Amino acid sequence: MKNERYEYERDGLAIYERSFSIIRSEANLTRFDALESHVAVRMIHACGVVDLAQHIEFGHQFAQHARHALQQGAAILCDAEMVERGVTRKRLPADNPVLCTLRDERTAALAKQLGTTRSAAAMELWHEHLAGALVVIGNAPTALFHLLEALERGAARPAAIIGVPVGFVGAAESKQALAESSLDLPYAIVRGRMGGSAIASATVNALASDAL
């Protein structure tokens, strides 16, 4: 193509490869094993913040448990539609079902009944799917708190939890509660206020692509 005004990389694969190379050269990933490093790079790529590496925390062999769950066909339970839509279906190793109940017709009434947010109430509709699932919370701290309360009351245990809600109210606290929970659940969090749907779905995609 002639008379191009700007010079820039146009090859999509080359852009990805260079991006990951830059992240690996600039981020301190030494405390992660190979699979965790792979996931952390994708999380950083999703937000463009290399310093995210110092806030990422994996607990109780999260990456191994989450990857195995995906390979076994585990359901992926998402707190927000942006998380659900960010999961790349073609990468999933076992045609895993991806579920978000935020817009379920029962959710609004449940939220009013329980005196909580719709995001937290939507989690009530997960119970039949929770056992062995991969839970992905990228938006709502209330959903993560509500999930922990349900698990402490005896709800079925998921295989692993991606807990990266973003925000200024409850986000840091909900992630700390997950990390400090006596339930010893495999988890991935981003300490503090940072997080979000893009990071959450990128974490799933990294685990899925590595599982193929």
Side-chain angles (χ1 to χ4, degrees):
M1 186 180 296
K2 297 180 180 180
N3 299 320
E4 294 169 342
R5 182 175 179 184
Y6 303 106
E7 288 189 13
Y8 56 93
E9 180 61 70
R10 293 171 171 80
D11 185 300
L13 180 59
I15 291 171
Y16 270 103
E17 291 178 347
R18 185 179 177 194
S19 296
F20 297 150
S21 177
I22 291 171
I23 291 168
R24 289 187 177 279
S25 69
E26 295 184 4
N28 184 354
L29 305 171
T30 55
R31 61 194 175 90
F32 302 128
D33 65 27
L35 180 54
E36 291 171 343
S37 179
H38 171 80
V39 175
V41 166
R42 295 300 184 105
M43 295 171 77
I44 293 166
H45 182 257
C47 67
V49 180
V50 171
D51 288 344
L52 188 79
Q54 64 184 302
H55 303 287
I56 296 171
E57 181 178 316
F58 301 119
H60 306 297
Q61 295 185 305
F62 161 80
Q64 291 77 10
H65 285 288
R67 182 176 67 169
H68 179 71
L70 289 176
Q71 290 174 324
Q72 298 303 306
I76 301 168
L77 308 180
C78 307
D79 72 321
E81 289 185 321
M82 287 181 66
V83 176
E84 178 193 6
R85 292 176 182 178
V87 174
T88 305
R89 303 311 200 266
K90 66 181 181 180
R91 289 184 181 174
L92 298 177
D95 196 25
N96 308 69
V98 185
L99 178 67
C100 176
T101 55
L102 188 60
R103 289 187 178 273
D104 187 287
E105 60 184 13
R106 297 166 288 178
T107 299
L110 274 172
K112 185 175 182 179
Q113 175 186 333
L114 298 170
T116 189
T117 66
R118 288 176 63 246
S119 295
M123 198 235 82
E124 285 293 308
L125 304 177
W126 291 358
H127 285 289
E128 64 182 289
H129 309 283
L130 260 179
L134 177 59
V135 172
V136 192
I137 297 177
N139 183 58
T142 54
L144 183 50
F145 277 128
H146 195 78
L147 173 64
L148 291 172
E149 290 170 344
L151 292 170
E152 289 167 0
R153 292 193 300 267
R157 286 173 63 95
I161 299 174
I162 298 170
V164 292
V166 62
F168 296 90
V169 179
E173 293 83 357
S174 66
K175 290 178 277 191
Q176 182 172 343
L178 172 58
E180 295 179 354
S181 171
S182 61
L183 296 167
D184 294 335
L185 290 159
Y187 67 84
I189 63 172
V190 175
R191 289 277 185 183
R193 297 171 172 175
M194 292 187 291
S197 299
I199 293 174
S201 55
T203 305
V204 177
N205 292 337
L207 292 162
S209 63
D210 197 73
L212 294 177

